Amino acid sequence: MTATRDRSPSLTQTQSVYQSLRDAILGVELRPGEAISERWLEGRLAASRTPVRSALVRLEGEGLVQRQGRGYVVTPIDIGEIEQAYVFRETIETTVVRLAAARADALDLSGIEPLILPEVRDTSSDEWFDIGIAFHVELARLAGNAFFVRAIDDVMTRIARGRWLEIWSTGGRERAFIEHERIVELVKAGDGEAAAAAIQSHVRHGRDRLLDALKTQRRGFAVRGFAVLDVTEAD
């Protein structure tokens, strides 16, 4: 058994390959719709076939890559899927804040409070992108149910590339920060209904802004090599 373990890539190497590939996809360094192969990834990541294959299987499960013939393609951004994801997200997050508010006296806020500190307003666009995802995952954690955390982590992953392509304005970031701060205040106060209304408004505003950006700029994205699908619009 020892010999077999020595010939296999370490868990650290496997995780590193997965994380590097995942980051490249979520940051649209690997463009939506781009064809990729195991051999090409081996060279790009300086890794053997086993961890590359393992990473691709995990990413396929996350909806970030899909099989195409003998290789893979980075999953195109699907506007219809994003619309569905936001419906799911709104349902989950309104439930999350109600549950969190109901246990306000027992909440551990150490994970979410750093994400609403004043200095967050001055972070770079890349950092703000990560903070936005982390906020909603940590908000789900306050409900005290691991299934909600996994659900929010998954849905935020599935809309992440669309959010990355969106043009973020300073005003949009400021509004989001204020809304994040308000949602936490309402949860801490134990006001579940007000928190649910606040998160609903927050999610819907983000959805409308994102979908408008993707739809109005879809053809421009195509010129740049980004596959953004909208089945409601004829080519």
Side-chain angles (χ1 to χ4, degrees):
M1 291 181 67
T2 301
T4 301
R5 188 182 299 116
D6 289 343
R7 287 196 300 268
S8 301
S10 68
L11 291 175
T12 300
Q13 181 189 17
T14 300
Q15 179 63 25
S16 176
V17 169
Y18 161 75
Q19 195 62 55
S20 295
L21 186 50
R22 188 176 189 271
D23 289 346
I25 293 172
L26 292 182
V28 296
E29 183 180 346
L30 290 177
R31 295 169 298 184
E34 182 174 351
I36 53 179
S37 68
E38 290 181 6
R39 179 165 295 182
W40 180 78
L41 290 171
E42 289 168 26
R44 174 189 171 95
L45 301 172
S48 62
R49 177 165 297 182
T50 298
V52 167
R53 184 168 293 173
S54 176
L56 287 169
V57 169
R58 287 182 66 182
L59 293 166
E60 185 178 15
E62 294 179 10
L64 295 178
V65 301
Q66 53 191 224
R67 292 182 183 273
Q68 185 177 75
R70 295 185 176 180
Y72 286 84
V73 62
V74 179
T75 304
I77 293 173
D78 186 330
I79 290 176
E81 182 180 85
I82 288 176
E83 289 177 322
Q84 292 179 17
Y86 268 93
V87 171
F88 175 77
R89 182 182 160 194
E90 181 182 322
T91 301
I92 294 294
E93 293 206 85
T94 51
T95 300
V96 159
V97 295
R98 286 190 177 100
L99 290 173
R103 54 196 299 267
D105 293 339
L107 293 180
D108 177 3
L109 300 170
S110 60
I112 202 167
E113 285 188 328
L115 305 176
I116 55 172
L117 292 174
E119 50 264 37
V120 168
R121 299 170 185 257
D122 300 322
T123 57
S124 67
S125 295
D126 289 358
E127 291 171 320
W128 175 251
F129 176 82
D130 291 336
I131 287 168
I133 294 175
F135 174 84
H136 290 279
V137 172
E138 289 300 323
L139 188 64
R141 207 179 303 281
L142 297 182
N145 187 314
F147 287 95
F148 285 124
V149 178
R150 288 198 289 271
I152 291 299
D153 187 50
D154 179 69
V155 76
M156 293 301 290
T157 295
R158 291 177 184 272
I159 65 175
R161 293 176 304 149
R163 292 179 64 243
W164 187 271
L165 291 181
E166 180 191 3
I167 297 177
W168 287 76
S169 67
T170 303
R173 181 190 301 188
E174 180 67 16
R175 172 172 176 161
F177 176 86
I178 292 171
E179 290 175 350
H180 286 180
E181 193 175 41
R182 179 61 176 160
I183 290 162
V184 173
E185 288 176 355
L186 291 169
V187 168
K188 287 167 62 177
D191 193 341
E193 290 309 308
I199 194 71
Q200 182 183 66
S201 175
H202 175 69
V203 171
R204 289 183 178 182
H205 179 260
R207 175 202 64 193
D208 293 346
R209 189 181 63 238
L210 172 56
L211 291 176
D212 180 66
L214 290 177
K215 289 180 178 182
T216 58
Q217 300 176 54
R218 189 172 76 87
R219 295 186 184 278
F221 290 139
V223 170
R224 293 160 55 193
F226 298 108
V228 179
L229 308 179
D230 185 0
V231 297
T232 65
E233 179 180 337
D235 289 324

